[in-house]
């Protein structure tokens, strides 16, 4: 009688352990993506700060692939603000996803244990 219970417990524990490892990998990947997005956001902010010190009529070159396009300061400023906003939205989404993953694994762990 004890052997089938032990096998069931072992199987359940193995499944739970696999889910924990999978969740840890997902969380680690999300952390790396959040760090990268924070760097992108900070770079855009610093660039925008420097650009704002220039005269309003200043034209600038925007790098597009292997070429440069002449743009006004306002266009570059708006693009940098948009880049910061998109990065912030992605960061929030990744943090929510990370939180859901951790919550689901905690829920599974506490439900699985007697």
């Amino acid at each position: 009688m004890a052997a089938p219970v032990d096998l069931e417990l072992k199987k359940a524990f193995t499944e739970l352990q696999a889910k924990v490892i999978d969740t840890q990998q997902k969380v680690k990947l999300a952390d790396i993506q959040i760090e990268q997005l924070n760097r992108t956001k900070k770079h855009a902010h610093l660039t925008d700060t420097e650009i704002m010190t220039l005269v309003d009529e200043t034209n600038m070159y925007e790098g597009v692939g292997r070429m440069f396009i002449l743009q006004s300061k306002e266009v570059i400023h708006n693009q940098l603000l948009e880049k910061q906003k998109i990065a912030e939205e992605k960061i929030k989404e990744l943090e929510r996803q990370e939180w859901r993953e951790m919550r689901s694994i905690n829920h599974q762990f506490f439900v699985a244990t007697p």
Side-chain angles (χ1 to χ4, degrees), residues 17-111:
Q17 196 173 25
K19 288 178 183 178
V20 167
I21 291 170
D22 184 49
T23 300
Q24 287 174 340
Q25 289 173 346
K26 287 180 182 178
V27 167
K28 199 177 289 187
L29 178 63
D31 284 339
I32 291 169
Q33 290 173 334
I34 288 170
E35 285 178 30
Q36 179 62 35
L37 288 167
N38 277 327
R39 275 188 241 115
T40 301
K41 184 176 142 188
K42 186 175 182 176
H43 183 267
H45 175 72
L46 291 172
T47 303
D48 188 46
T49 303
E50 287 299 316
I51 286 174
M52 294 311 293
T53 62
L54 301 172
V55 180
D56 287 337
E57 294 79 31
T58 305
N59 287 325
M60 304 169 198
Y61 288 100
E62 173 189 6
V64 179
R66 293 172 48 184
M67 64 180 183
F68 295 94
I69 299 175
L70 189 62
Q71 299 279 6
S72 68
K73 175 184 167 183
E74 183 178 342
V75 169
I76 301 291
H77 171 68
N78 290 337
Q79 288 175 350
L80 290 170
L81 290 178
E82 184 68 22
K83 195 177 213 180
Q84 291 177 51
K85 187 176 105 178
I86 289 170
E88 186 63 37
E89 290 171 359
K90 287 181 181 178
I91 288 170
K92 287 180 183 177
E93 179 59 36
L94 284 169
E95 286 174 344
R96 279 193 295 265
Q97 179 183 351
E98 191 177 69
W99 182 79
R100 273 182 273 160
E101 289 288 338
M102 292 302 293
R103 192 179 90 202
S104 72
I105 200 67
N106 284 339
H107 176 72
Q108 290 174 357
F109 178 72
F110 289 116
V111 170

Side-chain angles (χ1 to χ4, degrees), residues 8-24:
E8 289 177 21
L9 282 174
K10 186 175 182 178
K11 181 181 176 187
F13 180 73
T14 305
E15 289 174 5
L16 184 61
Q17 196 173 25
K19 288 178 183 178
V20 167
I21 291 170
D22 184 49
T23 300
Q24 287 174 340

